[in-house]
Amino acid sequence: MTAPRGFAIDTSVPHPARRYNYWLGGKDNFAADRESGDKIAAVYPPIRIAAIANRRFLERAVAFLAGQGVSQFLDIGTGIPVSPNTHEIAQAIVPGARVVYVDNDPIVLSHARALLTSGPGGRTAYIDADMRDPARLLADGTLRDVLDLSRPVAILLVSVLHFAPDAAGIVGPLLDAVPEGSYIALTHLSKDLLSPEVAAQTDAVNQRSGVDMWFRGRDEIEGLVRGLEPVPPGIVPVAEWRPDDDPAERPTAEQASLFAVIARK
């Protein structure tokens, strides 16, 4: 595996995208990522179930948004490609859909450039950027070339905002940059869905993982989409947002302790 020229991969430090890949059963991760993932699993054993439920939400969300006629997607914190990817789902419904992927891991960049190729009618692009600097992201020439920000855009922030101390400082500028008719889809870790015993160990999760995470309550997540129109069923546990699988196979809220919401501007 070779990183693009000018990018360095520090395999000694765990990265959320590679750790997520490990939980999903992928092979694009290193010892530090697996060690970090195992330490979190020791505190919260259902983490792999949660990762799969989160990925299923992404697939359902993109299909829903494309079904509403959305043809532009900004997928922030995309992670290492896992089929079906955002553009594959969107372009199956809207062949001309355009997707810009954003991440800050050189391995993700390497895979994205090789694998995230658009269908003939649409476009895809990848930006190496940090969501914690939304102004720089929104000013990126590639983003502006692929997406028309005068037309509705679906902003995807799936399982990434809990890695930022200031989630509102990310969501606000992104929503300000897109017009009415745009959507935001997000998932977020929350103590509210955990038992008191497990919730009390969230500080230990941060200490063991090597990557800081901020567990926000439902009210804080609601604040991120205040002023928008939530799509029914609103803010719910991730596995309960319009599930298309057998309810008997649906994980519980504690097993997949993320809230999910899609809201329209």
Side-chain angles (χ1 to χ4, degrees):
M1 178 185 309
T2 303
R5 184 174 298 177
F7 291 86
I9 299 173
D10 186 349
T11 62
S12 67
V13 177
H15 189 282
R18 301 194 301 261
R19 187 174 60 197
Y20 188 56
N21 174 264
Y22 171 56
W23 286 332
L24 290 175
K27 298 179 180 179
D28 299 302
N29 47 75
F30 297 100
D33 307 306
R34 296 188 289 273
E35 181 180 358
S36 172
D38 289 342
K39 286 180 177 178
I40 292 177
V43 177
Y44 181 61
I47 188 61
R48 290 178 176 85
I49 296 173
I52 292 170
N54 185 72
R55 182 71 192 185
R56 287 179 175 173
F57 166 79
L58 172 67
E59 296 169 7
R60 297 197 302 275
V62 173
F64 167 80
L65 292 165
Q68 301 305 299
V70 177
S71 61
Q72 301 192 108
F73 295 80
L74 180 57
D75 188 345
I76 300 174
T78 181
I80 295 168
V82 177
S83 188
N85 293 288
T86 296
H87 73 281
E88 294 169 321
I89 300 167
Q91 290 177 358
I93 300 169
V94 181
R98 297 181 168 213
V99 179
V100 172
Y101 293 98
V102 181
D103 210 294
N104 65 347
D105 181 2
I107 287 184
V108 175
L109 174 59
S110 178
H111 280 278
R113 287 180 171 170
L115 299 175
L116 299 182
T117 56
S118 174
R123 289 186 65 185
T124 61
Y126 179 88
I127 298 173
D128 178 73
D130 194 322
M131 67 176 179
R132 292 169 294 186
D133 190 352
R136 184 174 181 180
L137 167 60
L138 291 165
D140 188 278
T142 298
L143 184 150
R144 295 280 177 166
D145 179 56
V146 176
L147 302 182
D148 178 357
L149 298 186
S150 69
R151 296 174 48 241
V153 177
I155 301 168
L156 309 179
L157 289 161
V158 178
S159 194
V160 292
L161 288 174
H162 43 248
F163 295 113
D166 181 14
I170 294 170
V171 172
L174 291 172
L175 287 172
D176 287 344
V178 296
E180 291 186 5
S182 295
Y183 289 83
I184 184 169
L186 67 86
T187 64
H188 200 297
L189 286 171
S190 179
K191 294 182 185 180
D192 292 1
L193 299 173
L194 298 172
S195 69
E197 294 76 17
V198 175
Q201 298 183 62
T202 54
D203 289 341
V205 169
N206 276 341
Q207 292 170 3
R208 294 185 183 195
S209 71
V211 179
D212 287 334
M213 292 181 284
W214 284 262
F215 293 75
R216 293 184 170 93
R218 188 189 186 284
D219 57 339
E220 295 176 277
I221 297 167
E222 184 177 8
L224 295 175
V225 296
R226 186 165 292 127
L228 305 181
E229 179 185 349
V231 172
I235 302 173
V236 294
V238 66
E240 297 176 16
W241 197 94
R242 301 193 177 196
D244 58 359
D245 53 358
D246 184 340
E249 299 178 359
R250 193 186 315 169
T252 66
E254 186 169 4
Q255 288 176 320
S257 56
L258 302 100
F259 279 115
V261 64
I262 295 180
R264 185 176 186 270
K265 181 174 178 179

